[in-house]
């Protein structure tokens, strides 16, 4: 059975002192409840704080990832970070295709696919974010949109590489809005993604974790994580509050048995 995963996307938030407080409290809570036995937990700080968070979590089961990477290898790309650099500073995963990057920073389908490939080559776990806009949902295009996003991102990959992905279904209308997909709405899309994964073999479908993201909080997490094809969450705002993030990790630890 897939181990549940909770990933905290700090977005462009944090300062050295607050990061220390947040990580210290989260680590203490995870240890107190032995949560990492049942759930994998990752945090994705802004890149300038990756080294700080990596140092603070080195002896723990909390992993660190990056929010973005450059699709190219080291070289003349001012302001960018390569996959190898992220590995060098202790990242094990990277977010790719987050809707904020797709909407504001030009991460189109081709670039998303190149970033996924670059991450895999360097040994990082790509957390591939997918999701429809409100207009697309209203036009009943949700399943076709996520199908297109998924297929174009994995088009050039070999089977063992697809197995190394984590998917995050994040309806754009639910990110940072306080409006969450209902567990049934989310499950429908997750089940569809599972069918797409099964086209590459049942073991791919059984292995790849599909997270839900979009205004997950301490109150709604349990109902979402109880769904058959929801393997945890990608958490934005609530990952900045240790108490809420820990409650979400607790809900993920209970998962489908809840
Ligand atoms: C996100 O940024 O991936 C996210 C899901 O944000 P929020 O939880 O704040 O909606």
């Amino acid at each position: 059975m897939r181990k549940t995963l909770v990933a905290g996307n700090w977005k462009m938030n944090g300062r050295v002192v607050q990061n220390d407080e947040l990580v210290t409290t989260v680590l203490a809570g995870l240890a107190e409840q032995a949560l990492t036995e049942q759930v994998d937990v990752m945090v994705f700080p802004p890149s300038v704080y990756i080294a700080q968070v990596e140092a603070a979590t080195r002896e723990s089961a909390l992993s660190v990832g990056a929010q973005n990477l450059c699709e190219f290898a080291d070289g003349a790309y001012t302001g960018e970070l390569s996959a190898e650099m992220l590995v060098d500073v202790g990242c094990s995963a990277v977010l790719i295709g987050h809707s904020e990057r797709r909407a504001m920073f030009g991460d189109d389908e081709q670039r998303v696919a190149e970033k996924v490939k670059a991450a895999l080559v360097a040994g990082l776990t790509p957390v591939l974010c997918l999701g429809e806009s409100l207009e697309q949902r209203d036009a009943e295009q949700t399943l076709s949109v996520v199908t297109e996003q998924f297929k174009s991102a994995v088009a050039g990959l070999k089977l063992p590489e697809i197995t190394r992905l984590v998917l995050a279904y994040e309806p754009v209308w639910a990110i940072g809005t306080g409006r969450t997909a209902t567990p049934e709405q989310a499950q429908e899309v997750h089940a569809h993604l599972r069918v797409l994964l099964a086209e590459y073999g049942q073991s791919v479908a059984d292995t790849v974790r599909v997270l839900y993201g979009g205004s997950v909080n301490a109150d709604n997490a349990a109902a979402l994580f109880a769904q058959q094809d929801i393997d945890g969450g990608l958490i934005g705002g609530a990952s900045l509050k240790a108490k809420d993030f820990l409650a979400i990790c607790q809900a993920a630890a209970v998962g489908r048995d809840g």
Side-chain angles (χ1 to χ4, degrees):
M1 198 51 183
R2 296 173 298 277
K3 191 174 178 185
T4 50
L5 166 64
V6 173
N9 174 15
W10 292 4
K11 311 196 192 200
M12 198 168 73
N13 294 293
R15 293 291 185 273
V16 171
V17 173
Q18 288 100 310
N19 300 343
D20 263 335
E21 277 172 21
L22 177 57
V23 168
T24 305
T25 314
V26 167
L27 285 175
L30 292 176
E32 197 177 70
Q33 302 173 63
L35 287 176
T36 52
E37 284 172 21
Q38 293 120 296
V39 55
D40 289 333
V41 185
M42 292 179 174
V43 288
F44 295 79
S47 54
V48 289
Y49 299 125
I50 287 172
Q52 178 200 3
V53 176
E54 192 280 326
T57 58
R58 198 169 296 158
E59 306 299 326
S60 77
L62 184 59
S63 326
V64 182
Q67 297 175 16
N68 183 33
L69 86 169
C70 179
E71 62 272 35
F72 305 124
D74 296 0
Y77 302 103
T78 303
E80 293 294 316
L81 299 169
S82 72
E84 281 196 21
M85 287 175 183
L86 298 179
V87 172
D88 194 36
V89 294
C91 288
S92 57
V94 59
L95 303 181
I96 299 177
H98 191 284
S99 69
E100 288 153 16
R101 294 217 56 91
R102 289 179 190 261
M104 290 186 275
F105 301 103
D107 283 10
D108 58 15
E109 300 300 3
Q110 186 187 334
R111 187 174 291 168
V112 165
E114 288 168 358
K115 288 186 176 192
V116 168
K117 185 71 188 177
L120 288 165
V121 168
L124 292 164
T125 298
V127 180
L128 172 64
C129 305
L130 320 153
E132 82 288 3
S133 66
L134 190 55
E135 294 70 33
Q136 289 165 333
R137 174 158 284 268
D138 288 345
E140 299 185 359
Q141 293 167 346
T142 299
L143 299 185
S144 61
V145 167
V146 298
T147 301
E148 168 59 22
Q149 290 172 333
F150 171 76
K151 293 222 160 166
S152 64
V154 304
L157 302 184
K158 300 186 182 71
L159 202 63
E161 292 178 316
I162 298 173
T163 313
R164 288 171 48 206
L165 298 178
V166 169
L167 303 184
Y169 168 56
E170 298 205 300
V172 178
W173 47 271
I175 298 178
T177 59
R179 190 178 158 193
T180 320
T182 64
E184 294 72 25
Q185 283 174 323
Q187 168 59 25
E188 183 194 12
V189 181
H190 282 238
H192 177 73
L193 290 169
R194 194 78 63 203
V195 169
L196 294 180
L197 289 164
E199 288 178 14
Y200 301 88
Q202 193 53 42
S203 75
V204 178
D206 290 342
T207 306
V208 172
R209 290 180 286 193
V210 186
L211 312 182
Y212 170 78
S215 297
V216 177
N217 59 39
D219 296 326
N220 60 27
L224 288 159
F225 300 160
Q227 298 298 311
Q228 192 181 345
D229 290 294
I230 300 185
D231 304 314
L234 178 54
I235 318 301
S239 71
L240 298 169
K241 298 175 207 132
K243 193 163 163 263
D244 293 8
F245 190 60
L246 284 165
I248 292 166
C249 292
Q250 202 169 20
V254 176
R256 285 176 274 267
D257 301 330

